[in-house]
Amino acid sequence: MDFSYSPEEEAFRSEVRAWIAANLPDGWGRVVHEPEDEDARYMFRLDWEKKLYAGGWAGLSWPKEYGGQGATLVQQAILAEELARAEAPEGLNIIGRNLTAPTLIHHGSEAQRRRFLPPILSGEEVWCQGFSEPNAGSDLASIRTTAIRDGDHFVINGQKTWTSFAQYAQWCFMLVRTDPAAPKHKGISFLLVDMASPGITIRPLRQISGESEFNETFFDDVRVPVANLVGGLNEGWKIAMTTLTYERGPEDALARQIRFKRDLMRLIQTARTLPRGRGKTAIDDPVLRQKLASSVIEIELMRLNCLRSFSKQLQGKPLGPESSFQKLYWSHTAQRMYETALETLGPTAVLAAGDPLVPGDGQFQTGFLQSRAFTIYSGTSEIQRNIIAERVLGMPR
Amino acid sequence: MDFSYSPEEEAFRSEVRAWIAANLPDGWGRVVHEPEDEDARYMFRLDWEKKLYAGGWAGLSWPKEYGGQGATLVQQAILAEELARAEAPEGLNIIGRNLTAPTLIHHGSEAQRRRFLPPILSGEEVWCQGFSEPNAGSDLASIRTTAIRDGDHFVINGQKTWTSFAQYAQWCFMLVRTDPAAPKHKGISFLLVDMASPGITIRPLRQISGESEFNETFFDDVRVPVANLVGGLNEGWKIAMTTLTYERGPEDALARQIRFKRDLMRLIQTARTLPRGRGKTAIDDPVLRQKLASSVIEIELMRLNCLRSFSKQLQGKPLGPESSFQKLYWSHTAQRMYETALETLGPTAVLAAGDPLVPGDGQFQTGFLQSRAFTIYSGTSEIQRNIIAERVLGMPR
Amino acid sequence: MNFDFSDDQYLFHDSVRDFLGDRWSVAKLRTHLEGSGFDDALWRDLSELGLLAMLVPEEHGGLGLGYVDLALVLEEFGRHLVPGPAVETMLATDIIVRYGTPEQRAALCPAIASGALRIAPAIAEVEAGFDLDQTAAVAVSSGDGWLLSGRKILVPYADSVDRLLVVARFGEAGPLGLVLVEPGRAGITMRPHSLLDIASRAHEVVLDGVATGRGDVVGGGPSPDAVLRLADGGAVAASAQMAGVAGKVLDLAVDYANQRIQFGKPIGSLQAIKHRCADMLASLETGRTAAYYAAWALADDPPERARIVSMAKAFCGDAARSICNEGLQIHGGIGFTWELDIHLYLRRAKALEYAFGDAATHRERVMSATLLEMEAA
Amino acid sequence: MNFDFSDDQYLFHDSVRDFLGDRWSVAKLRTHLEGSGFDDALWRDLSELGLLAMLVPEEHGGLGLGYVDLALVLEEFGRHLVPGPAVETMLATDIIVRYGTPEQRAALCPAIASGALRIAPAIAEVEAGFDLDQTAAVAVSSGDGWLLSGRKILVPYADSVDRLLVVARFGEAGPLGLVLVEPGRAGITMRPHSLLDIASRAHEVVLDGVATGRGDVVGGGPSPDAVLRLADGGAVAASAQMAGVAGKVLDLAVDYANQRIQFGKPIGSLQAIKHRCADMLASLETGRTAAYYAAWALADDPPERARIVSMAKAFCGDAARSICNEGLQIHGGIGFTWELDIHLYLRRAKALEYAFGDAATHRERVMSATLLEMEAA
């Protein structure tokens, strides 16, 4: 057990830090911010992602043959820490990097890996995820979107929902029913679909936070080459489990932890200055301090849970159903933190972005609204608890 | 809506208060306390119950024909308040008064009511409850104890568990299976059993609090006259639901509320004197004050929930499945309060009764241990939630 | 001793419920996400139904009722997300009736009863947290009257009302009191807030040496008791509305759970959902108990009023928070879409949770009051 | 950067687990509900296994290991409800090794390593709450040495140990330090406590002008850093043990739920039970993360040690509390019987929750440390 860094790692950190300092937009965070407009914001993020790629930082720990740098997971973590420290912009192609890539590495053909992995890193091809349907949410295996073989193509018909970033994506991986006669888990296949294919319609879903990163996506006789099937025909469920494991796993959690911690530190800074009368500020309130301390503890332990999981992976132990516990843990932790954020703001908790009096430009209110979805997307907490109970604790169905 | 008392009610209160002052043992609560020994303690409580009866206070609001005084529910509540204010001893025949009596009033024959109700009030006959069995806890309808008709008797064989106060009881009401071929809810009858009958064996069950009010009770060819059947043959399940409704209802809850509130007030008094260094006491700690305030609120609302329910009953609305919400509410409320009690005690939370340094003679530790059972007996919280969801909210099984 | 409403109160409640069901809807509320947020037709309807006359004495053309009569109405307002400034005008009415001079009552009450006068309390200040004692707005004596200055935030519908009811200190370290001023009076400027509860409106109002006379001051001078009662009234109104919001969210959640099929059965048959709904019911019903009892305390004004009111605000705030959060969770994915109404309930509950003091503030007040009662006993 | 134990550490853990499984049991523990509570055979066994030598440097006959090596062992002690004063002796060993004079190390370490010397810290005082700064026990200078006076509570197994390690102030308002005294030394009286954790022992110890020399004082004089480390070590040991207790309770609950049939199926198939077990697993695993990280912090002693240790004590305290409560609930009726072992785990967890500061105290310490770190950054 060792939480310190070697001199080589510290040298690497210096290199990263220097590059970031030289490449962040001038005045970033002070006069330059992310665009207000949602479309522009995502394009801004994609530009930053491309810049990181150009700098040689994309896919740091990926194998070199697929465009990676072959670096260690520790170097990867150092990069993440330094980007967080600089409060660098986020990326857009999260689904491509975190879900498409590991799924193809585990289950894709060599041709698929060589075709699809490099443009994920370069930001040329953004991905979206076509799993859920209106009647197949928690019960994902009951999807009805069909793919019928026609020569060397599949023809897709149906509707997906919660397809994040579909409006910006060049590609979509999706679950389709290829054998309607089989038991529901057995007739599903995993396809890669070019979003430019004729027959695809996208309708954005506005969320309670006002953002629209999710969509409903309609497929009307969409033709997909048979070569875009991942794994075997009707073996899609097993592959989807891999995707979901990564969606819920420590890499995703660590990226989130960095954002939550940034918000928490901003919150504590806010509490230090927020007046509460009699010359006191919010941070002087012992009751509030307890709640802030709980969040400090829980958010820091979120990071350490991830590191513990990484260390296991480093020893060659595969990522399994226990990743559901990471998802369950971080989603509720973050919800508590944003509730505490509103309590910290006191009377101004009820203001929103755009009001000159709202502390932190309304980010805490936005965070609160966004956080309500954390325990729902990527598998609801109820689904995670089922998985943990049945597959980790061995309890009966 | 009116929470004030009429002049007649205030006069009644004075009368009650005077009687209590004159009849409590001299030096009660200062030099005279309940006996340490559990058996002696229960006999002491039974003596007090008999004294109340002799004073004309037992069954205050019961019909006169069954030994009651025909007083109003408000007078009943005033009596309870005054007994609480004086911290008078508790009674022993709780099951007789709170469960046997209303069950017989609803479902018993006139002969059964005249035979059994008066000696409940006088304390001559203490009752116990024979419902649960080792394999029929939450799933009460799966009881296996049988009663087979033999002439004008039933012959009982089987085992009951959690029979509270069986060792002090003259009578037991119990559920028995009288038709093993019927669906499980349909073959059950409700019998009144003389605990002096040959064939009954009692084994006390020691609880984690060290007390043994519960027992395992074994029935070996126990003969019970057919006249002791309550309601019709195989109609016991419906009758048991009445009993359980009262067990979980506002009358039971109000009696508990009075004890919890007494403990809470003692706790707050303790907090006012408990040193925490730098000349401060526990009550100066804002974090602790929040928790104590939560208990003040929750325990006071427990009383008001009961009053709201009484007011509905006074208007002739029957006590229904919503009594499950009272049980669910008070049990968790009390558990939180005793956890807060330990937090209040700080380092001395880990001491126990008998230690000269333990605040409140260890009553808070005992209360904490006892409270762990609150969400289990009288139907677990899980059972109450099922009842509320299915029978109050109309959710599907 | 009776903890129930009268037949008349239930009848009145039925008529309000039916009326709101017929004439008001969340769809209508959604038409007010932009603009002044004030609905003329709704105001006229509420006025015709007699709601604005409830607290006005009969001698001034009102119904002469009190907070107990109001409790079920306020709960229904919460259920239906009725926007301001109706509740705000009711809070002010109670104060004018109890603390106003005879002249003030005579001048204002008939107009309130007829729906012609809308009033919004101006209480909160950004530096004061939830502590009224920290009020910095000040009325400085000047000739026969006072010059009123200060900066108020979260003044509901300040641009749609006829009077602001301003909490201010009389003299630098003087007692608190209440001043009624027209929003258009010289020296008053305002700007609309951007709010989490997007279906409500509130303003920041700056008062800069606003000239006021004795007739503008409720009761003619400082009235700290009136200020406390205004805050307690607001806390009770918020509690009752939160009970209504939470009750509606529980209904929505149960309905959704009963019809949403996953794994071949309604999700309402799964214990993960149904047990949560049972817990929601237990806290909802206890919240209603608390809110009703607090309404009685405002009407009857017993010595324990402060404790009873704060009990309700603390309990209902926590209950509404958890019920709204769980209700959204039970809806799954569609729960966090803009189209579904549930976020409007969540936003309203959040606004009410932080109005007139949050749960922690009221718990501390319960504790102080309890200790004082113990010392007195 | 590696957050895992080494193969050696896992191997050692396996041997401790197997050993305790073979040689120790809750049934044996139950034979100690009366009497001194000290188990001679267990002590001999622990000593033969080398556990008491773990923290002793190799030059003094020990294994020269540290808190990271100890973490899994302490967790296993929790799982098996191993009674004192083994952990207490380990805590004292760490202090003697780090802060003792060379003479003290040479005199005490070999005896500790061989199992011949048992030590119990004497820290808590009834008036001080959880605040070490409020320590009133005092060593007053007298000739070449000090006269030690004070009243300590909750001194573990004080009548079964060879030395007490007493936290005292050197001079009335002086710095804190640590004094080693034999329990039989003149001026020391003790009486056994009555404890919630009936399978443990602790005493109230009164020191009345106990004569001590320079050789009795750890490091020869005041050592506030040693006192802080002793408290931090205790907090980490308690955290790891709580993780062990909680892990065992979760196992018991899952086993019971999987075999207990109600309504024709194992209750473990009901979401009400299984979802709760899943939540218990999430907080258990995070608690283990916290305890391991804190063990590393004690071993490596980074500037953030206080924050890291307090994070673990706060989180593990809350986690163990809720896991033990829920574990008992899942057992239903038999859960609250004396015969079932679960209450012994509940009692131990409660004792550990309140040992070395409760969760609220440690949260406040996390907050203060976080603010200091932010200022320094």
Side-chain angles (χ1 to χ4, degrees), chain A residues 134-135 137-139 162 206-208 277-278 339 342-343 347 350-353 355-356 368 372 375-376 382, chain C residues 127 129-131 134 154 191 193-194 196 260 262-263 276 321 325 329 333 336-338 343 347 350 354:
Chain A
N135 289 302
S138 286
D139 184 12
W162 317 124
R206 195 170 179 201
Q207 295 159 244
I208 63 174
R278 300 180 211 271
E339 289 279 9
L342 296 190
E343 291 185 38
V350 302
L351 298 176
D355 198 284
F368 164 73
R372 299 323 313 169
T375 50
I376 296 173
E382 291 72 27
Chain C
E127 307 269 317
F130 290 117
D131 187 355
Q134 299 296 309
L154 295 164
R191 64 158 190 95
H193 281 302
S194 176
L196 184 61
R260 169 75 173 172
Q262 290 284 272
F263 305 106
R276 204 171 304 170
R321 177 195 285 197
N325 285 346
Q329 176 75 16
F336 63 87
T337 59
W338 190 268
H343 71 110
R347 290 166 187 270
K350 198 52 90 188
Y354 286 96

Side-chain angles (χ1 to χ4, degrees), chain D residues 117-282:
Chain D
L117 194 73
R118 306 194 282 265
I119 313 177
I123 304 174
E125 298 180 7
V126 78
E127 307 267 318
F130 290 117
D131 188 355
L132 270 179
D133 286 347
Q134 299 297 309
T135 298
V138 65
V140 180
S141 186
S142 164
D144 265 4
W146 293 271
L147 294 176
L148 180 60
S149 294
R151 187 168 70 129
K152 295 290 177 180
I153 60 170
L154 295 165
V155 183
Y157 295 81
D159 64 346
S160 301
V161 297
D162 305 292
R163 294 284 190 290
L164 303 173
L165 181 63
V166 182
V167 175
R169 199 166 287 294
F170 280 69
E172 281 303 334
L176 294 177
L178 291 161
V179 189
L180 279 160
V181 290
E182 304 80 8
R185 200 177 286 194
I188 296 181
T189 53
M190 63 175 68
R191 63 158 190 95
H193 281 301
S194 177
L195 292 176
L196 184 61
D197 180 8
I198 50 179
S200 281
R201 291 298 177 282
H203 295 71
E204 182 181 358
V205 176
V206 176
L207 305 114
D208 186 6
V210 179
T212 62
R214 193 159 296 276
D216 298 323
V217 176
V218 175
S223 52
D225 287 354
V227 173
L228 275 182
R229 184 172 174 90
L230 176 63
D232 278 354
V236 170
S239 300
Q241 287 180 90
M242 285 192 281
V245 171
K248 178 68 179 182
V249 168
L250 176 57
D251 287 352
L252 290 171
V254 168
D255 287 350
Y256 181 78
N258 287 354
Q259 56 88 2
R260 169 75 173 171
I261 309 288
Q262 291 283 274
F263 306 106
K265 54 191 168 195
I267 62 170
S269 66
L270 300 169
Q271 286 187 338
I273 306 297
K274 70 204 285 187
H275 282 197
R276 205 170 304 170
C277 289
D279 283 333
M280 290 157 79
L281 181 90

Side-chain angles (χ1 to χ4, degrees), chain B residues 134-135 137-139 162 206-208 277-278 339 342-343 347 350-353 355 368 372 375-376 382, chain D residues 127 129-131 134 154 191 193-194 196 260 262-263 276 321 325 329 332-333 336-338 343 347 350 354:
Chain B
N135 289 303
S138 287
D139 185 10
W162 318 122
R206 195 171 179 200
Q207 296 158 242
I208 62 173
R278 299 178 211 270
E339 289 278 9
L342 297 190
E343 291 184 37
V350 302
L351 297 177
D355 198 284
F368 164 73
R372 298 323 314 168
T375 50
I376 296 173
E382 290 72 27
Chain D
E127 307 267 318
F130 290 117
D131 188 355
Q134 299 297 309
L154 295 165
R191 63 158 190 95
H193 281 301
S194 177
L196 184 61
R260 169 75 173 171
Q262 291 283 274
F263 306 106
R276 205 170 304 170
R321 176 195 286 197
N325 286 346
Q329 176 75 16
F336 61 87
T337 58
W338 190 268
H343 71 110
R347 290 167 188 271
K350 198 53 90 187
Y354 286 97

Side-chain angles (χ1 to χ4, degrees), chain C residues 105-168:
Chain C
R105 287 204 299 274
L108 300 169
C109 283
I112 292 170
S114 71
L117 195 73
R118 305 193 283 265
I119 314 177
I123 304 174
E125 298 180 7
V126 78
E127 307 269 317
F130 290 117
D131 187 355
L132 271 180
D133 287 347
Q134 299 296 309
T135 298
V138 65
V140 179
S141 186
S142 163
D144 265 4
W146 292 271
L147 294 176
L148 181 60
S149 295
R151 188 168 68 128
K152 295 291 177 180
I153 60 169
L154 295 164
V155 183
Y157 294 82
D159 65 345
S160 301
V161 297
D162 305 293
R163 294 285 190 290
L164 303 174
L165 180 64
V166 183
V167 175

